[in-house]
PDB file of all heavy atoms in Angstrom:
ATOM      1  N   ILE A 688      13.240  15.088  -7.961  1.00  0.00           N
ATOM      2  CA  ILE A 688      13.971  14.118  -7.099  1.00  0.00           C
ATOM      3  C   ILE A 688      15.419  13.912  -7.680  1.00  0.00           C
ATOM      4  O   ILE A 688      15.646  13.478  -8.767  1.00  0.00           O
ATOM      5  CB  ILE A 688      13.244  12.726  -7.019  1.00  0.00           C
ATOM      6  CG1 ILE A 688      11.862  13.021  -6.389  1.00  0.00           C
ATOM      7  CG2 ILE A 688      14.062  11.821  -6.274  1.00  0.00           C
ATOM      8  CD1 ILE A 688      10.997  11.739  -6.317  1.00  0.00           C
ATOM      9  N   PHE A 689      16.336  14.342  -6.787  1.00  0.00           N
ATOM     10  CA  PHE A 689      17.779  14.365  -7.176  1.00  0.00           C
ATOM     11  C   PHE A 689      18.387  12.985  -6.791  1.00  0.00           C
ATOM     12  O   PHE A 689      19.236  12.543  -7.524  1.00  0.00           O
ATOM     13  CB  PHE A 689      18.431  15.478  -6.490  1.00  0.00           C
ATOM     14  CG  PHE A 689      19.898  15.676  -6.689  1.00  0.00           C
ATOM     15  CD1 PHE A 689      20.361  16.103  -7.923  1.00  0.00           C
ATOM     16  CD2 PHE A 689      20.814  15.347  -5.675  1.00  0.00           C
ATOM     17  CE1 PHE A 689      21.752  16.251  -8.121  1.00  0.00           C
ATOM     18  CE2 PHE A 689      22.181  15.518  -5.937  1.00  0.00           C
ATOM     19  CZ  PHE A 689      22.623  15.965  -7.117  1.00  0.00           C
ATOM     20  N   LYS A 690      17.924  12.485  -5.717  1.00  0.00           N
ATOM     21  CA  LYS A 690      18.439  11.190  -5.252  1.00  0.00           C
ATOM     22  C   LYS A 690      17.319  10.489  -4.432  1.00  0.00           C
ATOM     23  O   LYS A 690      16.624  11.103  -3.682  1.00  0.00           O
ATOM     24  CB  LYS A 690      19.660  11.485  -4.277  1.00  0.00           C
ATOM     25  CG  LYS A 690      20.701  10.455  -4.395  1.00  0.00           C
ATOM     26  CD  LYS A 690      22.029  11.006  -3.784  1.00  0.00           C
ATOM     27  CE  LYS A 690      23.101   9.939  -4.040  1.00  0.00           C
ATOM     28  NZ  LYS A 690      24.423  10.276  -3.540  1.00  0.00           N
ATOM     29  N   ASP A 691      17.293   9.168  -4.610  1.00  0.00           N
ATOM     30  CA  ASP A 691      16.247   8.403  -3.905  1.00  0.00           C
ATOM     31  C   ASP A 691      17.022   7.168  -3.419  1.00  0.00           C
ATOM     32  O   ASP A 691      17.400   6.337  -4.244  1.00  0.00           O
ATOM     33  CB  ASP A 691      15.168   8.059  -4.869  1.00  0.00           C
ATOM     34  CG  ASP A 691      13.962   7.338  -4.232  1.00  0.00           C
ATOM     35  OD1 ASP A 691      14.155   6.925  -3.096  1.00  0.00           O
ATOM     36  OD2 ASP A 691      12.945   7.164  -4.884  1.00  0.00           O
ATOM     37  N   SER A 692      17.231   7.084  -2.101  1.00  0.00           N
ATOM     38  CA  SER A 692      18.206   6.107  -1.693  1.00  0.00           C
ATOM     39  C   SER A 692      17.906   5.576  -0.254  1.00  0.00           C
ATOM     40  O   SER A 692      16.999   6.139   0.385  1.00  0.00           O
ATOM     41  CB  SER A 692      19.625   6.833  -1.648  1.00  0.00           C
ATOM     42  OG  SER A 692      20.486   6.279  -0.782  1.00  0.00           O
ATOM     43  N   THR A 693      18.645   4.611   0.198  1.00  0.00           N
ATOM     44  CA  THR A 693      18.561   4.221   1.658  1.00  0.00           C
ATOM     45  C   THR A 693      19.635   5.055   2.344  1.00  0.00           C
ATOM     46  O   THR A 693      20.495   5.637   1.687  1.00  0.00           O
ATOM     47  CB  THR A 693      18.905   2.759   1.856  1.00  0.00           C
ATOM     48  OG1 THR A 693      20.171   2.481   1.318  1.00  0.00           O
ATOM     49  CG2 THR A 693      17.901   1.866   1.155  1.00  0.00           C
ATOM     50  N   THR A 694      19.518   5.165   3.711  1.00  0.00           N
ATOM     51  CA  THR A 694      20.493   5.932   4.398  1.00  0.00           C
ATOM     52  C   THR A 694      21.887   5.399   4.202  1.00  0.00           C
ATOM     53  O   THR A 694      22.849   6.190   4.084  1.00  0.00           O
ATOM     54  CB  THR A 694      20.148   5.850   5.908  1.00  0.00           C
ATOM     55  OG1 THR A 694      18.740   5.859   6.104  1.00  0.00           O
ATOM     56  CG2 THR A 694      20.734   7.015   6.709  1.00  0.00           C
ATOM     57  N   ASP A 695      22.059   4.062   4.146  1.00  0.00           N
ATOM     58  CA  ASP A 695      23.342   3.488   3.970  1.00  0.00           C
ATOM     59  C   ASP A 695      24.092   3.934   2.648  1.00  0.00           C
ATOM     60  O   ASP A 695      25.270   4.127   2.660  1.00  0.00           O
ATOM     61  CB  ASP A 695      23.279   1.912   3.863  1.00  0.00           C
ATOM     62  CG  ASP A 695      22.946   1.333   5.235  1.00  0.00           C
ATOM     63  OD1 ASP A 695      22.844   2.056   6.182  1.00  0.00           O
ATOM     64  OD2 ASP A 695      22.808   0.086   5.261  1.00  0.00           O
ATOM     65  N   ARG A 696      23.237   3.977   1.671  1.00  0.00           N
ATOM     66  CA  ARG A 696      23.832   4.208   0.272  1.00  0.00           C
ATOM     67  C   ARG A 696      23.872   5.685  -0.070  1.00  0.00           C
ATOM     68  O   ARG A 696      24.437   6.074  -1.109  1.00  0.00           O
ATOM     69  CB  ARG A 696      23.114   3.468  -0.757  1.00  0.00           C
ATOM     70  CG  ARG A 696      22.992   1.947  -0.582  1.00  0.00           C
ATOM     71  CD  ARG A 696      23.935   1.186  -1.432  1.00  0.00           C
ATOM     72  NE  ARG A 696      25.352   1.457  -1.149  1.00  0.00           N
ATOM     73  CZ  ARG A 696      26.107   0.616  -0.414  1.00  0.00           C
ATOM     74  NH1 ARG A 696      25.601  -0.409   0.140  1.00  0.00           N
ATOM     75  NH2 ARG A 696      27.404   0.935  -0.216  1.00  0.00           N
ATOM     76  N   LEU A 697      23.357   6.510   0.825  1.00  0.00           N
ATOM     77  CA  LEU A 697      23.251   7.924   0.467  1.00  0.00           C
ATOM     78  C   LEU A 697      24.562   8.620   0.140  1.00  0.00           C
ATOM     79  O   LEU A 697      24.634   9.469  -0.709  1.00  0.00           O
ATOM     80  CB  LEU A 697      22.561   8.656   1.681  1.00  0.00           C
ATOM     81  CG  LEU A 697      22.230  10.140   1.452  1.00  0.00           C
ATOM     82  CD1 LEU A 697      21.172  10.309   0.367  1.00  0.00           C
ATOM     83  CD2 LEU A 697      21.794  10.773   2.767  1.00  0.00           C
ATOM     84  N   TYR A 698      25.642   8.131   0.823  1.00  0.00           N
ATOM     85  CA  TYR A 698      26.889   8.881   0.648  1.00  0.00           C
ATOM     86  C   TYR A 698      27.823   8.166  -0.376  1.00  0.00           C
ATOM     87  O   TYR A 698      29.009   8.582  -0.467  1.00  0.00           O
ATOM     88  CB  TYR A 698      27.586   8.926   1.974  1.00  0.00           C
ATOM     89  CG  TYR A 698      26.750   9.606   3.085  1.00  0.00           C
ATOM     90  CD1 TYR A 698      26.039   8.901   4.044  1.00  0.00           C
ATOM     91  CD2 TYR A 698      26.499  10.963   2.913  1.00  0.00           C
ATOM     92  CE1 TYR A 698      25.188   9.484   4.948  1.00  0.00           C
ATOM     93  CE2 TYR A 698      25.655  11.601   3.848  1.00  0.00           C
ATOM     94  CZ  TYR A 698      25.016  10.876   4.855  1.00  0.00           C
ATOM     95  OH  TYR A 698      24.194  11.496   5.647  1.00  0.00           O
ATOM     96  N   ASP A 699      27.272   7.268  -1.116  1.00  0.00           N
ATOM     97  CA  ASP A 699      28.132   6.572  -2.118  1.00  0.00           C
ATOM     98  C   ASP A 699      28.735   7.545  -3.079  1.00  0.00           C
ATOM     99  O   ASP A 699      29.836   7.395  -3.568  1.00  0.00           O
ATOM    100  CB  ASP A 699      27.329   5.560  -2.884  1.00  0.00           C
ATOM    101  CG  ASP A 699      27.060   4.313  -1.994  1.00  0.00           C
ATOM    102  OD1 ASP A 699      27.564   4.252  -0.869  1.00  0.00           O
ATOM    103  OD2 ASP A 699      26.356   3.385  -2.469  1.00  0.00           O
ATOM    104  N   ASN A 700      27.996   8.628  -3.320  1.00  0.00           N
ATOM    105  CA  ASN A 700      28.526   9.608  -4.179  1.00  0.00           C
ATOM    106  C   ASN A 700      28.298  10.972  -3.471  1.00  0.00           C
ATOM    107  O   ASN A 700      27.487  11.745  -3.851  1.00  0.00           O
ATOM    108  CB  ASN A 700      27.922   9.625  -5.505  1.00  0.00           C
ATOM    109  CG  ASN A 700      28.579  10.553  -6.482  1.00  0.00           C
ATOM    110  OD1 ASN A 700      29.519  11.260  -6.109  1.00  0.00           O
ATOM    111  ND2 ASN A 700      28.214  10.530  -7.742  1.00  0.00           N
ATOM    112  N   GLN A 701      29.090  11.196  -2.364  1.00  0.00           N
ATOM    113  CA  GLN A 701      28.740  12.331  -1.514  1.00  0.00           C
ATOM    114  C   GLN A 701      28.967  13.659  -2.127  1.00  0.00           C
ATOM    115  O   GLN A 701      28.431  14.686  -1.698  1.00  0.00           O
ATOM    116  CB  GLN A 701      29.270  12.205  -0.163  1.00  0.00           C
ATOM    117  CG  GLN A 701      30.705  12.112   0.360  1.00  0.00           C
ATOM    118  CD  GLN A 701      31.710  11.476  -0.541  1.00  0.00           C
ATOM    119  OE1 GLN A 701      31.977  11.936  -1.571  1.00  0.00           O
ATOM    120  NE2 GLN A 701      32.276  10.390  -0.037  1.00  0.00           N
ATOM    121  N   PHE A 702      29.841  13.736  -3.195  1.00  0.00           N
ATOM    122  CA  PHE A 702      30.156  15.016  -3.812  1.00  0.00           C
ATOM    123  C   PHE A 702      28.934  15.679  -4.402  1.00  0.00           C
ATOM    124  O   PHE A 702      28.809  16.892  -4.337  1.00  0.00           O
ATOM    125  CB  PHE A 702      31.305  14.849  -4.841  1.00  0.00           C
ATOM    126  CG  PHE A 702      32.538  14.300  -4.146  1.00  0.00           C
ATOM    127  CD1 PHE A 702      32.957  13.001  -4.359  1.00  0.00           C
ATOM    128  CD2 PHE A 702      33.221  15.155  -3.306  1.00  0.00           C
ATOM    129  CE1 PHE A 702      34.044  12.550  -3.737  1.00  0.00           C
ATOM    130  CE2 PHE A 702      34.372  14.652  -2.653  1.00  0.00           C
ATOM    131  CZ  PHE A 702      34.761  13.379  -2.908  1.00  0.00           C
ATOM    132  N   ASP A 703      28.077  14.844  -4.894  1.00  0.00           N
ATOM    133  CA  ASP A 703      26.832  15.473  -5.501  1.00  0.00           C
ATOM    134  C   ASP A 703      25.942  16.071  -4.404  1.00  0.00           C
ATOM    135  O   ASP A 703      25.270  17.041  -4.556  1.00  0.00           O
ATOM    136  CB  ASP A 703      26.123  14.538  -6.425  1.00  0.00           C
ATOM    137  CG  ASP A 703      25.697  13.229  -5.826  1.00  0.00           C
ATOM    138  OD1 ASP A 703      25.926  13.085  -4.633  1.00  0.00           O
ATOM    139  OD2 ASP A 703      25.255  12.368  -6.594  1.00  0.00           O
ATOM    140  N   LEU A 704      25.967  15.514  -3.179  1.00  0.00           N
ATOM    141  CA  LEU A 704      25.218  16.074  -2.095  1.00  0.00           C
ATOM    142  C   LEU A 704      25.819  17.411  -1.708  1.00  0.00           C
ATOM    143  O   LEU A 704      25.051  18.413  -1.481  1.00  0.00           O
ATOM    144  CB  LEU A 704      25.204  15.161  -0.817  1.00  0.00           C
ATOM    145  CG  LEU A 704      24.447  13.846  -1.013  1.00  0.00           C
ATOM    146  CD1 LEU A 704      24.614  13.074   0.322  1.00  0.00           C
ATOM    147  CD2 LEU A 704      22.935  14.125  -1.363  1.00  0.00           C
ATOM    148  N   GLN A 705      27.128  17.507  -1.651  1.00  0.00           N
ATOM    149  CA  GLN A 705      27.766  18.752  -1.318  1.00  0.00           C
ATOM    150  C   GLN A 705      27.517  19.802  -2.402  1.00  0.00           C
ATOM    151  O   GLN A 705      27.379  21.007  -2.066  1.00  0.00           O
ATOM    152  CB  GLN A 705      29.248  18.541  -1.121  1.00  0.00           C
ATOM    153  CG  GLN A 705      29.617  17.860   0.198  1.00  0.00           C
ATOM    154  CD  GLN A 705      31.023  17.436   0.276  1.00  0.00           C
ATOM    155  OE1 GLN A 705      31.555  16.626  -0.481  1.00  0.00           O
ATOM    156  NE2 GLN A 705      31.752  18.076   1.193  1.00  0.00           N
ATOM    157  N   SER A 706      27.451  19.282  -3.602  1.00  0.00           N
ATOM    158  CA  SER A 706      27.284  20.239  -4.774  1.00  0.00           C
ATOM    159  C   SER A 706      25.930  20.968  -4.635  1.00  0.00           C
ATOM    160  O   SER A 706      25.756  22.021  -5.221  1.00  0.00           O
ATOM    161  CB  SER A 706      27.392  19.496  -6.076  1.00  0.00           C
ATOM    162  OG  SER A 706      26.208  18.746  -6.346  1.00  0.00           O
ATOM    163  N   ILE A 707      24.895  20.361  -4.019  1.00  0.00           N
ATOM    164  CA  ILE A 707      23.627  20.995  -3.846  1.00  0.00           C
ATOM    165  C   ILE A 707      23.467  21.632  -2.448  1.00  0.00           C
ATOM    166  O   ILE A 707      22.389  21.974  -1.990  1.00  0.00           O
ATOM    167  CB  ILE A 707      22.434  20.129  -4.289  1.00  0.00           C
ATOM    168  CG1 ILE A 707      22.350  18.916  -3.256  1.00  0.00           C
ATOM    169  CG2 ILE A 707      22.486  19.705  -5.677  1.00  0.00           C
ATOM    170  CD1 ILE A 707      20.991  18.192  -3.379  1.00  0.00           C
ATOM    171  N   GLY A 708      24.609  21.828  -1.797  1.00  0.00           N
ATOM    172  CA  GLY A 708      24.583  22.617  -0.595  1.00  0.00           C
ATOM    173  C   GLY A 708      24.270  21.862   0.691  1.00  0.00           C
ATOM    174  O   GLY A 708      23.933  22.507   1.731  1.00  0.00           O
TER     175      GLY A 708
END
Side-chain angles (χ1 to χ4, degrees):
I688 296 175
F689 178 71
K690 214 163 186 180
D691 185 348
S692 155
T693 57
T694 324
D695 288 359
R696 302 258 67 99
L697 184 66
Y698 303 104
D699 286 358
N700 190 353
Q701 64 323 68
F702 299 106
D703 54 6
L704 291 179
Q705 287 172 294
S706 77
I707 61 166

